Amino acid sequence: NPPVLISASPKKINFTLRRRSKSLLFRVSAVSYKEFAESALEETRKRIVLEPSHLQEKYSSMTGLDGKTELRMLAFKSSKIRLLRSMAIENETMQVFDFAGFMEPEYDTPIFCANFFTSANVNIVVLDLNPLHQLTDQTDYQEKYYNKIMSIYHKYAETFPWGGKLTGESIKFFSPLVMWTRFSSSQEKHKALFSAFLEYYQAWLEMTIQVREEMEPSQVRANCEAQHKYLTWRAQKDPGHGLLKRLVGEEKAMELLRDFLFNGVDELGTKTFIDYFPEYQTEDGTVNDKRSIIGKSYETRPWDLTGQFIG
Ligand code: BLA
């Protein structure tokens, strides 16, 4: 529209152009995690039958309090997978991806866990097959699920080095396969992250296909309680809570956490957070607000190259 262009001051045109090219650049270089979820689901459908989860009707998309942040939710199940769910959050300045897979209690397969937080210049990444059972007191669990696939970790170790100190309590939820890293955005890093994500996911998917149903009721109960403990921890202390509350408000954030992201926390067991983590009990019996009792720990990776815990 030439008349408008002519009447605008050169300064204003310049400003508009700069704004345009900046937002274009941003869009080209920014990662979109929706594609990550789609690819994982595509791989899944090649191997197993996915059914929509009942959660999908209730949660599909949401807009943040700012009117600009988009949250997209996906939720599926299969005969063995209790819940396979994804949440992708996007606005002009950040992208968040939280993708997880939880088994029915008859199976002791690890929990798939991808948590990526991306802002203008930093990426915070956790990618892991979180062990359902403590690796320290059940070494056959490590043998069953991790020893054979440690090469996946080695493949990405150089590109994604240990991210430094983290909440000490988190370590017991991680496996020797964990990719815990921070990096500044680049197309190469995001490409590598995409490959790593799919490779970790394929490894998990294969485990879910191979796993045999547990027939021992006491073992099924143990699986159920272990998953409930994990959900209880994350529904209460996950590092994303603060941001989620700011984005959608306290009430919606709590609902998302307890009913969608960590669904099962109110159904799989009756123990409370304090039952599982008594060190968080305050004098009046309530849960300590602190994220961590131990504090930030593990400056370096606490597993050796073979995956043995070295603390
Ligand atoms: C930071 N996210 C972190 C950190 C970890 C994780 C280890 C570093 C801070 C810390 O040491 O606690 C991730 N921690 C995990 C995971 C487990 C765990 C996956 O114990 C599993 C057992 N991250 C999200 C979502 C959001 C998010 C959904 O997954 C936001 C909606 C944000 N994570 C987020 C932000 C930070 C972060 C903003 C930096 C803030 C901080 O360091 O506290």
Side-chain angles (χ1 to χ4, degrees):
N1 195 339
V4 175
L5 265 178
I6 288 160
S7 68
S9 73
K11 227 178 177 174
K12 199 168 173 189
I13 292 170
N14 230 333
F15 177 73
T16 309
L17 284 176
R18 256 192 290 132
R19 283 262 312 238
R20 285 243 171 96
S21 60
K22 208 171 153 192
S23 69
L24 199 64
L25 263 178
F26 170 78
R27 271 188 226 129
V28 172
S29 63
V31 57
S32 176
Y33 290 125
K34 287 184 211 158
E35 197 187 306
F36 283 47
E38 284 309 323
S39 301
L41 292 172
E42 208 178 298
E43 290 307 313
T44 314
R45 290 193 186 96
K46 286 182 194 164
R47 308 290 308 278
I48 62 170
V49 177
L50 275 188
E51 304 154 45
S53 154
H54 72 282
L55 292 173
Q56 189 70 83
E57 287 165 35
K58 220 163 141 193
Y59 303 95
S60 58
S61 70
M62 215 184 255
T63 307
L65 296 173
D66 61 1
K68 293 180 191 164
T69 304
E70 278 231 357
L71 295 87
R72 292 230 170 266
M73 281 72 79
L74 295 168
F76 296 91
K77 63 186 287 302
S78 78
S79 56
K80 292 180 181 176
I81 303 170
R82 185 177 68 81
L83 176 63
L84 182 66
R85 55 78 177 156
S86 164
M87 180 175 74
I89 307 177
E90 281 186 17
N91 63 28
E92 284 167 338
T93 58
M94 52 148 239
Q95 294 81 38
V96 176
F97 185 51
D98 184 335
F99 193 102
F102 304 99
M103 302 302 283
E104 292 288 353
E106 286 77 16
Y107 306 95
D108 71 351
T109 316
I111 294 160
F112 183 78
C113 165
N115 282 79
F116 307 160
F117 169 80
T118 299
S119 66
N121 40 32
V122 72
N123 291 266
I124 300 176
V125 163
V126 173
L127 176 60
D128 192 25
L129 311 189
N130 292 155
L132 191 64
H133 297 292
Q134 288 283 303
L135 296 172
T136 40
D137 51 43
Q138 215 169 330
T139 48
D140 50 341
Y141 191 81
Q142 175 145 352
E143 174 63 35
K144 184 173 177 186
Y145 286 116
Y146 296 101
N147 291 352
K148 290 182 288 279
I149 58 166
M150 281 307 290
S151 61
I152 303 177
Y153 159 73
H154 293 296
K155 189 167 161 185
Y156 296 99
E158 208 176 304
T159 314
F160 297 115
W162 185 251
K165 283 192 176 180
L166 75 166
T167 301
E169 283 83 354
S170 291
I171 282 293
K172 60 177 180 298
F173 297 103
F174 293 174
S175 84
L177 205 65
V178 71
M179 198 169 111
W180 150 242
T181 192
R182 303 171 201 256
F183 57 89
S184 46
S185 290
S186 75
Q187 289 216 1
E188 297 77 64
K189 284 283 171 85
H190 285 300
K191 252 179 91 175
L193 184 61
F194 180 67
S195 307
F197 168 70
L198 276 188
E199 206 159 330
Y200 274 70
Y201 185 72
Q202 296 272 20
W204 181 76
L205 187 60
E206 192 57 39
M207 287 174 182
T208 71
I209 292 167
Q210 300 299 329
V211 68
R212 299 274 175 115
E213 184 175 344
E214 183 60 64
M215 292 301 175
E216 203 61 62
S218 65
Q219 199 52 50
V220 176
R221 275 198 302 276
N223 291 344
C224 195
E225 176 157 312
Q227 190 177 145
H228 186 245
K229 181 177 180 179
Y230 177 93
L231 294 165
T232 302
W233 170 259
R234 296 202 61 188
Q236 186 90 32
K237 293 293 178 192
D238 213 48
H241 290 191
L243 181 60
L244 203 57
K245 282 179 191 164
R246 262 176 282 142
L247 290 175
V248 299
E250 172 122 28
E251 200 182 322
K252 282 232 170 89
M254 293 308 274
E255 193 191 339
L256 271 176
L257 285 162
R258 296 196 77 87
D259 195 32
F260 182 77
L261 292 174
F262 305 114
N263 175 280
V265 65
D266 295 319
E267 293 86 18
L268 291 187
T270 51
K271 284 195 183 173
T272 65
F273 184 85
I274 295 295
D275 292 336
Y276 290 126
F277 309 101
E279 64 278 20
Y280 279 84
Q281 184 159 24
T282 59
E283 275 178 6
D284 61 3
T286 57
V287 177
N288 199 321
D289 277 342
K290 276 200 219 162
R291 273 263 307 287
S292 173
I293 303 295
I294 303 174
K296 299 272 180 182
S297 321
Y298 305 104
E299 182 86 59
T300 57
R301 201 165 206 282
W303 293 274
D304 72 9
L305 292 175
T306 68
Q308 280 313 109
F309 192 75
I310 50 174

